[in-house]
Amino acid sequence: MSTTLPPSPIDAEAPAGAPDPHAAAPDRAGRPDRTTGPGSARTAPWGADPYARALRAGRGPLFLRRNDGWLLPLDVERWCSRADAADLSALHRCEGPVLDVGCGPGRLVAELASLGHRALGIDVSEAAVARTRRLGAAALLRSVFDPLPDEGRWGTLLLVDGNIGIGGDPAALLDRAAGLLAADGLLIAETAPLDVDERVRVRLDDGRGAPAGTLAPACAQEAAAEPFPWARIGAPALLRYARARGWRTAAQWSAEGRTFVSLRRPRRPVRERRARISSHSAESANSEAVSSSQLPR
């Protein structure tokens, strides 16, 4: 059973396909662009062709391409299908309300709703959010680094389909996840099947360019062509980062050739520990200043 929370902004979503007027435009790392206001053009690569084109078609080919020509295939057909056995192996472990980071076309959010969870998907792609909403699921056009509803109250946070690579900095993503989860909340991450820990800059590539007789908007062509940071990380490396930040391993498993790790939120997230240290330092300095001011001259 899901945890009941008071009503929040996700309980009154915009109509299907409607743009979110309050979402900040994300940058190429998936972080919000603080220099642009609501309604500005979104130029994150995941919001441009060829990704949007692939989601609308429901199929690839689609790749992440490194500058040296190395290609990582993206399984668009699976993303646009219903949740499979491997997905369900993760979803059945979810607890309470669930935040699906990088929800894509929404198969997991829709399945979670059918399982009785209150679930929200977030994605920086307008095409992904529109498709998720067409499934009747809740979704917002946001980066994980944007302000989000119910921060610090989510029961489970999902990072599947390679989304542990968002921003190219798994440690920063773990810190952000800790701030979003409730005490003892659960992070479920899909990892690379190999023992790998690499940071790369990649481009989205469908190997075909724009369809014959059409021209993608200039901003979309530029966004799809510009490299952005990404990470590939296997379970051993993720567990090293997690342990160093106070996360506790809950489980590890494989299903249908995919590998997963679930982690319990640190009892005190890194940013809270840093805040306490800073506060303690400030209090000490103030105390010393007061004591000095009271000394006889």
Side-chain angles (χ1 to χ4, degrees), residues 203-229:
R203 294 179 175 86
L204 283 165
D205 187 353
D206 61 8
R208 299 174 296 184
T214 67
L215 288 176
C219 64
Q221 292 176 349
E222 177 186 353
E226 185 172 339
F228 56 95

Side-chain angles (χ1 to χ4, degrees), residues 122-174:
I122 59 170
D123 206 289
V124 296
S125 163
E126 290 181 349
V129 170
R131 185 159 179 152
T132 299
R133 289 175 176 173
R134 283 198 295 273
L135 294 178
L140 291 177
L141 185 62
R142 303 282 173 87
S143 159
V144 66
F145 297 102
D146 280 332
L148 294 171
D150 291 332
E151 295 203 13
R153 299 174 67 194
W154 293 99
T156 304
L157 189 144
L158 294 177
L159 286 168
V160 301
D161 297 331
N163 287 329
I164 190 64
I166 288 174
D169 188 345
L173 193 53
L174 284 171

Side-chain angles (χ1 to χ4, degrees), residues 164 170 189-198 231-241 252 259-261:
I164 190 64
E190 181 176 355
T191 61
L194 305 174
D195 185 3
V196 62
D197 182 6
E198 65 176 9
R232 290 180 69 225
I233 184 168
L238 177 58
L239 292 174
R240 286 195 299 271
Y241 287 117
Q252 291 180 254
T259 57
F260 300 85
V261 171

